[in-house]
Amino acid sequence: MAMDHAAAEGDHLAAERAAARFDVEAMKVAWAGSRHAVDVADRMARLVASDPVFRKDNRTMLSRKDLFKDTLRKAAHAWKRIVELRLTEEEASLLRQYVDQPGYVDLHWGMFVPAIKGQGTEEQQKKWLPLAYKFQIIGCYAQTELGHGSNVQGLETTATFDPKTDGFVIHSPTLTSSKWWPGGLGKASTHAVVYARLITEGKDYGIHGFIVQLRSLEDHSPLPGVTLGDIGGKFGSGAYNSMDNGVLRFDHVRIPRDQMLMRLSQVTREGKYVNSDVPKQLLYGTMVYVRQSIVADASKALSRAVCIAVRYSAIRKQFGSQDGGPETQVLNYRTQQSRLFPLLASAYAFRFVGDWLNWLYTDVTQKLEAKDYSTLQEAHACTAGLKAVTTSATADAIEECRKLCGGHGYLNSSGLPELFAVYVPACTYEGDNVVLLLQVARILMKTVSQLTSGKQPVGTMAYMGKVQHLMQSKCAVKTAEDWLNPAFIQEAFEARALRMAVNCAQNIGQAANQEEGSIYIIQHHIPFSLLNCTCSVLFGINCTSDDCAPCRFL
Amino acid sequence: MAMDHAAAEGDHLAAERAAARFDVEAMKVAWAGSRHAVDVADRMARLVASDPVFRKDNRTMLSRKDLFKDTLRKAAHAWKRIVELRLTEEEASLLRQYVDQPGYVDLHWGMFVPAIKGQGTEEQQKKWLPLAYKFQIIGCYAQTELGHGSNVQGLETTATFDPKTDGFVIHSPTLTSSKWWPGGLGKASTHAVVYARLITEGKDYGIHGFIVQLRSLEDHSPLPGVTLGDIGGKFGSGAYNSMDNGVLRFDHVRIPRDQMLMRLSQVTREGKYVNSDVPKQLLYGTMVYVRQSIVADASKALSRAVCIAVRYSAIRKQFGSQDGGPETQVLNYRTQQSRLFPLLASAYAFRFVGDWLNWLYTDVTQKLEAKDYSTLQEAHACTAGLKAVTTSATADAIEECRKLCGGHGYLNSSGLPELFAVYVPACTYEGDNVVLLLQVARILMKTVSQLTSGKQPVGTMAYMGKVQHLMQSKCAVKTAEDWLNPAFIQEAFEARALRMAVNCAQNIGQAANQEEGSIYIIQHHIPFSLLNCTCSVLFGINCTSDDCAPCRFL
């Protein structure tokens, strides 16, 4: 929006940057979390950008096969550099992040290793983790089946204990029981953590995890009884097509008993099913961890999209020419700003709420280890809700940024089509967003219903305890500047959120059954919840209701 | 949703079809418009489906080059079949539609030929159309430039009349004046209708169309002074990557004077610029035509997406199993229905409003030819508004259908990723949707401001004349069944639309300037306009305001 010497010469980006009215270095540190984090990120980004093996400019032009080879090459090269440069775990993780190409290593480090750490006994960890750390085995995470995604309890693969051989027989009894989707499964993995129904002594004990070898460590061919393949092309060019999402079927494959992950429960030599004294709630800690990392990723994806759209808007000029003079930078149109800047603000909001979720994870883990489950429900609501809100908003925002780049956003060279295609599965994986939001709604409704009984809500729902005040409070803001006072903003959010929740509870109280209630929530709250009312301060979108204080000012 | 013998045997689609409570054949006829239309469509669909040259199953797996070759092969084969079978124009157009692969023929038939028909003199039509009809030349439409899309008046390419040679010199004076995006330009076209600033006698007369030969008819090489290329990969695999969208630069390329399209204005032998007596408003007829066909296409794209999602929902089962019995078809969850069925309804609504727009086109054309411009503004608002509403809703709906197919929607084999990628440019081309909606809003605001002056609104805005009644009317509906009476529905729409328009006019009346007013409209109306209040009957989404009659019932 600056108009000075640099702009007159045509370097609009330099002019905009020179016009910043805040300390850019300080903002970098705030974004990254610390000066150290900025430095490491800069160093790893340069390492990737300067290495021709990591080039990305041709990614959308490669055939599927060449793209997959390119992914293998990058993964191997990244590993080589990590070893050569003796990178720390923090550095290695950032390097992989900047390589920015979905591949089997994501599942190996992100799911296979954590599953063994979280669900394996100490012995199992001692045996399998060193192999995984040195890449002597490559692991994936085989949970989803062709017929079962959200309904994990409905998985059909069986693991039947056979006391004669002291092992399990892994089997795919139906077509729908085929493992379907696991990343890294189609081509790369040698092993998988396979989720299957544990059957022993004729009884079905539900879903448990098993370490199963899939391919030979000699020649990488599938082991007897194992049928494997790639499930084909996915959304976009580039994007997740670099990943070998796979299909897997078992025909009575035998594994030793000690390859059942036995931290939470065991099958004895005799075939007895025994629970250990480790609380099952610990598994929630893993879920909180995975979802907080998804929220952090939302901020990264959104900030990239917004960065592209803001730069484009600074350079692109259209209309507004006086007497044949230069046209107006698109960035200077308030119609463009009103669509773009709320997305920019959201990227920062998601960044900082991601940090808070990280704190929540630490807090929940400590409490769980002390067998304190009092905040578990609220922590679940926070992570589920924030996972859904941030991923839905980010997916929509990437597409909005693409549209804000006009026709040019449709070119792969803008980077936005690939970013959208690689991002949108986040709305589905680790909990479908609509399913998650309904879970949050139910917890909110339960909390509202308990307000009259004197039960005090905890954590982020504590404000609901002020129900008497919030249902009647009038906003004390007098001038637009008053909104710079966080206390006013917070009370506006609290009042609006509580009033919506109470209103919703009253309405679904009239619903005939739970499903009717869900419909009400989906129709009235979910489509608008991200951008309406309570979020008007954050997202800059105003509602038109009279009881929404921010809208009287913004 | 049926549960009978077929379902028990696992053929859910047959069971659902058998349970239809309406006359499927009658619905087919209503959708297609006539029995004849159903028959022609069926015949052309079978012709394409049964011909191996037209196979589509490998489309997302081809490299860009192979995909382009495949497009050429299909276009040539389609042409051959059209000639061999002596297909009518109606049949040929449907055949091309079912081939369903963007390619240069779309621009040749859809833009190049109509431009010559609409803007060429009779002589010019006599000379060029037969060449185009026989494919002796291949034409594209070169309007958009690297630096100019929405702002057509800002195009920079020049066509300078040179009286010495009795011709024009076509030139690209800057980098941003490069033609950028035209489909069919990158590889296929021999000719283009090029839009350029007409300069004669030292004066700039603004943008006019010129027929320019680009490539040799002997060896297809670019003519001297012409630089051409493909602008690279676009969103998705398959999708518009079958199209050779191109870049084009001119270095003082000479064309004869009679290749200026001269129906509306001419340059004489002496270089005088003369307007003909053909009214310029006729050009609006073309715009109405193009936009009504975009609305018709929205219904086609949406119906395909919904068809995929409905079939998937019938077959997919998840949760709800009692005692190990079969799980519930996803289609039977009202949470799924509440997201899916409004999209199904929209596909029908868009289909029928497309028919109405077709009527409007005929009506406007007849009036224009009689020099009656009285309904032009209203017709413009209808086509602009419906183009924006239907394309935005369809783009969002395709992505929603993809999400409604869970993880599987992300596979190319679902058809939805390619459908989304090929569809979304409709939100940008032929008028950016936000720009168009603001135009509609301005016309609505102007109409509201004139209500007190006694000027009667016309056409689709005629209901606004009932302002006294509508601002105060209470909905007469007593039971849910009353909504089956169209008169109630119509009045609910009218009341809500008028109240929103009047409310908006009052609010932007307080805005400091037009841009502030636009911001108000974008923030308060555009994000919600498609799915809010007035559309609650149509789309099944309810608002929460007390003055919205439908919401008290649905």
Side-chain angles (χ1 to χ4, degrees):
Chain A
M1 293 173 279
M3 241 319 183
D4 69 355
H5 188 63
E9 286 181 347
D11 188 347
H12 293 293
L13 286 184
E16 295 297 337
R17 285 176 178 137
R21 281 180 294 179
F22 60 90
D23 182 336
V24 174
E25 283 302 310
M27 184 64 98
K28 271 190 189 173
V29 172
W31 177 273
S34 68
R35 165 55 57 193
H36 165 77
V38 173
D39 293 341
V40 177
D42 268 3
R43 214 154 20 87
M44 291 305 113
R46 274 198 306 271
L47 202 60
V48 171
S50 65
D51 192 326
V53 176
F54 295 135
R55 67 178 286 199
K56 298 170 188 174
D57 57 322
N58 63 345
R59 194 159 50 184
T60 60
M61 287 175 264
L62 299 175
S63 71
R64 177 89 204 283
K65 195 168 179 178
D66 287 338
L67 181 62
F68 182 67
K69 284 185 188 168
D70 182 64
T71 310
L72 296 182
R73 196 177 302 118
K74 282 176 178 164
H77 188 64
W79 181 245
K80 185 164 159 268
R81 297 300 284 153
I82 288 166
V83 173
E84 281 171 358
L85 299 170
R86 297 166 190 262
L87 299 187
T88 64
E89 199 168 320
E90 179 194 19
E91 291 167 332
S93 160
L94 272 165
L95 181 123
R96 280 193 294 266
Q97 187 180 306
Y98 285 116
V99 169
D100 183 35
Q101 193 156 306
Y104 69 88
V105 286
D106 305 344
L107 286 302
H108 180 82
W109 293 115
M111 302 289 280
F112 182 73
V113 166
I116 295 173
K117 273 188 182 171
Q119 297 160 46
T121 60
E122 269 182 46
E123 269 165 275
Q124 289 177 317
Q125 295 186 40
K126 213 182 273 178
K127 172 176 176 185
W128 294 100
L129 292 180
L131 297 170
Y133 288 150
K134 289 180 211 151
F135 264 129
Q136 288 169 337
I137 61 174
I138 299 172
C140 66
Y141 187 89
Q143 178 177 304
T144 300
E145 294 176 356
L146 186 58
H148 293 91
S150 292
N151 185 10
V152 177
Q153 297 311 317
L155 293 176
E156 297 175 79
T157 304
T158 51
T160 310
F161 182 66
D162 175 12
K164 269 182 273 171
T165 57
D166 192 20
F168 292 97
V169 180
I170 312 286
H171 188 58
S172 310
T174 60
L175 179 65
T176 48
S177 71
S178 309
K179 294 294 175 188
W180 190 271
W181 274 116
L185 170 64
K187 297 286 179 197
S189 294
T190 61
H191 289 65
V193 169
V194 173
Y195 288 86
R197 318 195 71 80
L198 191 164
I199 296 163
T200 183
E201 299 184 318
K203 194 176 159 199
D204 181 338
Y205 287 90
I207 306 305
H208 291 73
F210 301 83
I211 299 174
V212 184
Q213 182 171 353
L214 306 176
R215 291 182 170 96
S216 156
L217 295 179
E218 302 297 318
D219 62 6
H220 207 66
S221 61
L223 295 188
V226 172
T227 307
L228 288 156
D230 182 288
I231 59 170
K234 286 143 288 185
F235 205 160
S237 41
Y240 263 99
N241 289 298
S242 56
M243 181 73 88
D244 53 330
N245 297 88
V247 52
L248 165 64
R249 291 177 58 75
F250 297 104
D251 181 7
H252 300 92
V253 171
R254 289 180 177 273
I255 59 168
R257 183 167 56 92
D258 68 3
Q259 286 179 213
M260 168 185 171
L261 291 171
M262 297 222 198
R263 186 169 174 216
L264 300 175
S265 48
Q266 297 93 38
V267 169
T268 65
R269 176 65 193 88
E270 295 74 33
K272 290 264 168 279
Y273 182 83
V274 190
N275 279 314
S276 76
D277 57 356
V278 178
K280 289 220 186 325
Q281 285 89 341
L282 270 184
L283 288 180
Y284 284 101
T286 312
M287 204 187 274
V288 173
Y289 175 76
V290 171
R291 291 187 181 156
Q292 70 85 17
S293 72
I294 291 176
V295 172
D297 287 347
S299 146
K300 282 171 202 153
L302 181 52
S303 61
R304 287 165 67 181
V306 169
C307 183
I308 294 168
V310 168
R311 287 182 187 175
Y312 177 84
S313 302
I315 289 167
R316 177 73 168 180
K317 288 175 283 183
Q318 203 80 177
F319 291 111
S321 161
Q322 308 288 339
D323 307 322
E327 291 171 284
T328 304
Q329 285 167 275
V330 170
L331 188 58
N332 283 348
Y333 288 102
R334 290 202 52 199
T335 47
Q336 186 88 352
Q337 293 171 6
S338 72
R339 295 165 68 194
L340 186 55
F341 291 175
L343 308 180
L344 176 60
S346 302
Y348 280 90
F350 296 173
R351 170 70 190 86
F352 298 129
V353 82
D355 261 5
W356 177 80
L357 268 187
N358 206 348
W359 167 85
L360 186 73
Y361 167 65
T362 313
D363 183 64
V364 164
T365 309
Q366 283 169 356
K367 286 203 169 85
L368 287 177
E369 278 166 6
K371 302 201 176 172
D372 170 3
Y373 310 129
S374 62
T375 61
L376 199 57
Q377 189 182 54
E378 192 257 341
H380 171 70
C382 284
T383 48
L386 283 170
K387 184 273 182 184
V389 168
T390 57
T391 56
S392 286
T394 297
D396 292 348
I398 295 170
E399 172 64 3
E400 181 73 358
C401 284
R402 196 190 63 69
K403 290 192 182 117
L404 284 165
C405 293
H408 295 319
Y410 191 65
L411 281 173
N412 282 338
S413 52
S414 76
L416 292 166
E418 200 185 356
L419 189 56
F420 183 79
V422 85
Y423 190 76
V424 287
C427 298
T428 306
Y429 62 55
E430 292 298 321
D432 175 87
N433 284 355
V434 171
V435 174
L436 291 182
L437 287 174
L438 283 171
Q439 290 176 8
V440 176
R442 283 189 199 113
I443 293 170
L444 283 171
M445 292 305 97
K446 191 175 157 195
T447 308
V448 168
S449 75
Q450 293 172 339
L451 285 178
T452 47
S453 74
K455 184 170 177 186
Q456 281 306 305
V458 298
T460 55
M461 294 194 290
Y463 75 93
M464 291 180 143
K466 296 187 283 176
V467 57
Q468 302 291 355
H469 170 67
L470 290 173
M471 288 304 284
Q472 297 170 25
S473 62
K474 287 276 173 197
C475 185
V477 166
K478 304 286 176 219
T479 66
E481 283 69 34
D482 285 349
W483 284 113
L484 298 174
N485 181 341
F488 287 135
I489 298 178
Q490 189 173 334
E491 182 159 305
F493 275 114
E494 288 176 353
R496 183 65 186 161
L498 185 67
R499 289 172 195 187
M500 286 174 80
V502 168
N503 179 271
C504 181
Q506 284 165 349
N507 277 293
I508 66 171
Q510 298 160 13
N513 52 46
Q514 183 177 313
E515 200 178 18
E516 293 289 336
S518 297
I519 303 294
Y520 180 84
I521 292 165
I522 286 181
Q523 290 185 341
H524 288 75
H525 289 274
I526 291 182
F528 309 121
S529 63
L530 308 186
L531 292 171
N532 212 352
C533 301
T534 40
C535 297
S536 58
V537 178
L538 205 54
F539 297 101
I541 305 286
N542 305 338
C543 79
T544 49
S545 48
D546 292 334
D547 65 340
C548 181
C551 299
R552 289 190 279 124
F553 288 92
L554 292 180
Chain B
M1 291 175 279
M3 239 324 184
D4 68 358
H5 188 64
E9 285 181 350
D11 188 349
H12 293 292
L13 285 184
E16 295 296 336
R17 285 177 178 136
R21 281 180 294 179
F22 59 90
D23 182 337
V24 174
E25 282 304 310
M27 183 64 98
K28 269 190 190 173
V29 172
W31 177 273
S34 68
R35 166 54 56 193
H36 166 80
V38 173
D39 292 341
V40 177
D42 268 2
R43 212 152 23 85
M44 291 305 113
R46 274 199 305 271
L47 203 61
V48 170
S50 65
D51 192 326
V53 177
F54 294 135
R55 69 179 282 201
K56 298 170 188 172
D57 58 321
N58 63 346
R59 195 156 54 182
T60 59
M61 286 175 264
L62 299 175
S63 71
R64 177 90 205 282
K65 195 169 179 177
D66 288 337
L67 181 62
F68 183 67
K69 284 185 189 167
D70 182 64
T71 309
L72 295 182
R73 196 178 302 120
K74 282 176 179 163
H77 188 63
W79 181 244
K80 185 164 158 266
R81 297 301 284 153
I82 288 165
V83 173
E84 281 172 358
L85 300 171
R86 299 166 189 260
L87 299 187
T88 64
E89 199 168 319
E90 181 196 14
E91 291 168 332
S93 160
L94 272 165
L95 181 124
R96 280 194 292 268
Q97 189 181 303
Y98 285 117
V99 170
D100 183 36
Q101 192 155 308
Y104 68 90
V105 287
D106 304 343
L107 285 304
H108 179 82
W109 293 115
M111 301 291 278
F112 181 72
V113 166
I116 294 172
K117 275 189 181 170
Q119 296 161 50
T121 60
E122 271 183 42
E123 270 167 89
Q124 289 177 316
Q125 295 187 37
K126 212 182 274 178
K127 173 174 176 187
W128 294 100
L129 291 181
L131 296 170
Y133 286 151
K134 290 180 211 153
F135 264 128
Q136 288 169 337
I137 62 174
I138 298 172
C140 67
Y141 186 88
Q143 177 178 304
T144 300
E145 295 176 354
L146 185 59
H148 292 91
S150 292
N151 185 11
V152 177
Q153 297 311 316
L155 293 176
E156 295 175 78
T157 304
T158 51
T160 310
F161 182 65
D162 175 13
K164 269 183 272 171
T165 56
D166 192 20
F168 292 97
V169 179
I170 313 287
H171 187 61
S172 310
T174 60
L175 178 66
T176 48
S177 71
S178 309
K179 294 294 174 189
W180 190 271
W181 275 114
L185 169 64
K187 297 286 178 197
S189 293
T190 61
H191 288 67
V193 169
V194 172
Y195 289 85
R197 318 195 71 79
L198 190 164
I199 296 163
T200 183
E201 297 185 315
K203 198 179 156 194
D204 181 337
Y205 286 91
I207 306 306
H208 291 73
F210 301 84
I211 299 175
V212 185
Q213 184 173 351
L214 306 175
R215 291 183 170 95
S216 157
L217 295 179
E218 303 297 317
D219 63 5
H220 207 65
S221 62
L223 296 187
V226 173
T227 307
L228 288 155
D230 182 289
I231 59 170
K234 285 145 288 186
F235 205 161
S237 42
Y240 263 98
N241 289 298
S242 56
M243 181 72 90
D244 53 330
N245 297 87
V247 52
L248 165 65
R249 292 177 57 76
F250 298 105
D251 181 7
H252 300 93
V253 171
R254 289 179 177 274
I255 59 167
R257 183 167 56 90
D258 67 2
Q259 286 179 212
M260 170 184 169
L261 290 171
M262 295 225 200
R263 185 171 175 214
L264 300 175
S265 49
Q266 297 91 41
V267 168
T268 67
R269 175 67 191 88
E270 294 75 31
K272 290 264 170 273
Y273 181 84
V274 190
N275 279 313
S276 77
D277 55 358
V278 178
K280 290 220 186 323
Q281 284 88 343
L282 271 184
L283 288 181
Y284 284 102
T286 312
M287 205 187 271
V288 174
Y289 174 76
V290 171
R291 288 185 183 158
Q292 69 84 19
S293 72
I294 291 176
V295 172
D297 287 347
S299 143
K300 284 170 201 154
L302 181 51
S303 61
R304 287 165 68 180
V306 169
C307 182
I308 294 167
V310 169
R311 288 182 187 176
Y312 177 84
S313 302
I315 290 166
R316 178 73 169 182
K317 289 175 283 183
Q318 202 80 179
F319 290 111
S321 162
Q322 307 288 340
D323 306 323
E327 291 171 284
T328 304
Q329 283 167 278
V330 170
L331 187 59
N332 283 348
Y333 287 102
R334 290 202 53 199
T335 47
Q336 185 89 350
Q337 295 171 5
S338 72
R339 294 165 69 194
L340 186 54
F341 292 176
L343 308 180
L344 176 61
S346 302
Y348 280 91
F350 295 173
R351 170 69 190 84
F352 299 129
V353 83
D355 261 4
W356 177 80
L357 267 187
N358 207 349
W359 167 85
L360 186 73
Y361 167 64
T362 314
D363 183 64
V364 163
T365 308
Q366 283 169 357
K367 286 205 169 84
L368 287 176
E369 277 166 8
K371 301 200 177 173
D372 170 2
Y373 309 130
S374 62
T375 62
L376 199 57
Q377 189 182 54
E378 193 256 340
H380 171 71
C382 284
T383 49
L386 283 169
K387 184 273 182 186
V389 168
T390 57
T391 56
S392 286
T394 298
D396 291 349
I398 296 170
E399 172 64 4
E400 182 72 359
C401 284
R402 194 189 64 69
K403 290 193 183 114
L404 284 165
C405 293
H408 295 318
Y410 191 65
L411 281 173
N412 282 338
S413 53
S414 76
L416 292 165
E418 200 185 354
L419 188 57
F420 183 79
V422 84
Y423 189 76
V424 287
C427 298
T428 306
Y429 62 54
E430 294 297 321
D432 175 87
N433 283 355
V434 171
V435 173
L436 291 182
L437 287 175
L438 283 172
Q439 289 174 11
V440 176
R442 284 189 199 109
I443 292 169
L444 284 170
M445 293 304 98
K446 194 176 153 192
T447 307
V448 168
S449 74
Q450 291 170 340
L451 285 178
T452 48
S453 75
K455 186 169 174 183
Q456 282 304 307
V458 298
T460 54
M461 294 193 291
Y463 74 92
M464 289 180 144
K466 298 187 282 177
V467 57
Q468 302 290 357
H469 170 67
L470 291 172
M471 289 303 284
Q472 297 169 23
S473 63
K474 286 277 174 199
C475 185
V477 166
K478 304 284 177 221
T479 66
E481 285 67 33
D482 286 348
W483 284 112
L484 298 174
N485 181 342
F488 287 135
I489 298 178
Q490 189 171 335
E491 182 158 305
F493 275 112
E494 288 177 351
R496 183 65 187 160
L498 185 67
R499 288 171 196 188
M500 285 175 81
V502 168
N503 178 271
C504 182
Q506 284 166 348
N507 277 294
I508 66 170
Q510 299 161 12
N513 53 47
Q514 183 179 313
E515 199 177 18
E516 295 288 336
S518 297
I519 303 295
Y520 180 85
I521 292 166
I522 287 181
Q523 290 185 340
H524 287 77
H525 289 273
I526 291 184
F528 308 122
S529 64
L530 309 185
L531 291 172
N532 211 352
C533 302
T534 41
C535 297
S536 58
V537 179
L538 204 56
F539 297 101
I541 305 284
N542 306 339
C543 80
T544 48
S545 48
D546 293 330
D547 63 341
C548 181
C551 299
R552 287 191 279 125
F553 288 93
L554 295 177

